Amino acid sequence: ERDLHDGAQQRLVALTMLLGLAAMSEGAEAAALLAKAQAQAGLALEELRELIQGIHPQVLTDRGLPSAVHDVADRSPVPVDVAFEELPGRLPQAVETTAYFAICEVLANVAKHSGADRATVRGGLVDGRLVVRVEDNGAGGADPAEGTGLLGLADRLAVVDGRLLISSPAGGPTLVRVEIPVGDGVAGGARASGS
């Protein structure tokens, strides 16, 4: 359920925003936006099919978290810069999956609620933990007590002993920090055993 919410939801948010922009546009600009929206709808259907079959997004399965983060950034309706440090190998599957869907959820929240026109995702290993920072230049005021999205994200992270830290003063910027322990599970170029 959370995989559907956190992954496919971002594509559908992007699709909705593209359709809204197309409705306010005319001529060639509207046609280009509609073509982009149609492509986004196709990708959303493909991702839903993958998830229904119990498969995580193909880019995550095939190429790992940094490539998957770039893919998420490319389809975000808010422009996203990615600075992901090179990892020494593949992370345990639970870490990669949890981090991926956490980033999807945070970027979906940026698009829906922040009013930001730019976001940044930075990630890497620090003292045996995967640390991901998502920052946006929006209006701030993100509060886990105000809705279920951030609380659900914190719960999802807790399952893998991770944690969620949020700094979001009124007026912004908002910084969301995700930390997940990786233990001894980084594999040199291959998925860690047991994943």
Side-chain angles (χ1 to χ4, degrees), residues 7-167:
Q9 173 182 279
Q10 187 194 14
R11 284 206 191 273
L12 295 173
V13 167
L15 172 60
T16 302
M17 292 182 77
L18 284 169
L19 290 172
L21 289 171
M24 296 185 299
S25 304
E26 297 178 0
E29 182 183 5
L33 288 167
L34 286 171
K36 197 171 180 182
Q38 185 176 18
Q40 194 70 249
L43 291 171
L45 286 172
E46 182 180 318
E47 185 163 334
L48 285 169
R49 283 188 202 106
E50 288 177 354
L51 290 169
I52 288 167
Q53 294 169 2
I55 300 171
H56 294 295
Q58 200 63 44
V59 67
L60 180 63
T61 301
D62 291 347
R63 299 197 321 242
L65 185 61
S67 293
V69 171
H70 280 281
D71 181 61
V72 170
D74 287 346
R75 60 185 148 98
S76 171
V78 175
V80 179
D81 298 311
V82 178
F84 224 91
E85 296 173 11
E86 187 172 337
L87 300 174
R90 293 294 297 267
L91 301 174
Q93 183 177 10
V95 173
E96 284 190 340
T97 302
T98 302
Y100 173 81
F101 285 112
I103 293 165
C104 288
E105 172 72 11
V106 173
L107 289 178
N109 286 341
V110 168
K112 288 193 302 186
H113 305 299
S114 73
D117 61 16
R118 198 101 206 151
T120 303
V121 178
R122 293 182 173 87
L125 295 178
V126 179
D127 298 328
R129 300 176 77 80
L130 174 66
V131 177
V132 178
R133 297 166 47 100
V134 182
E135 187 168 6
D136 70 66
N137 65 355
D143 183 357
E146 294 297 315
T148 59
L150 292 174
L151 286 174
L153 180 53
D155 290 344
R156 183 184 191 111
L157 288 164
V159 170
V160 291
D161 296 324
R163 64 183 185 157
L164 178 71
L165 304 163
I166 301 169
S167 171

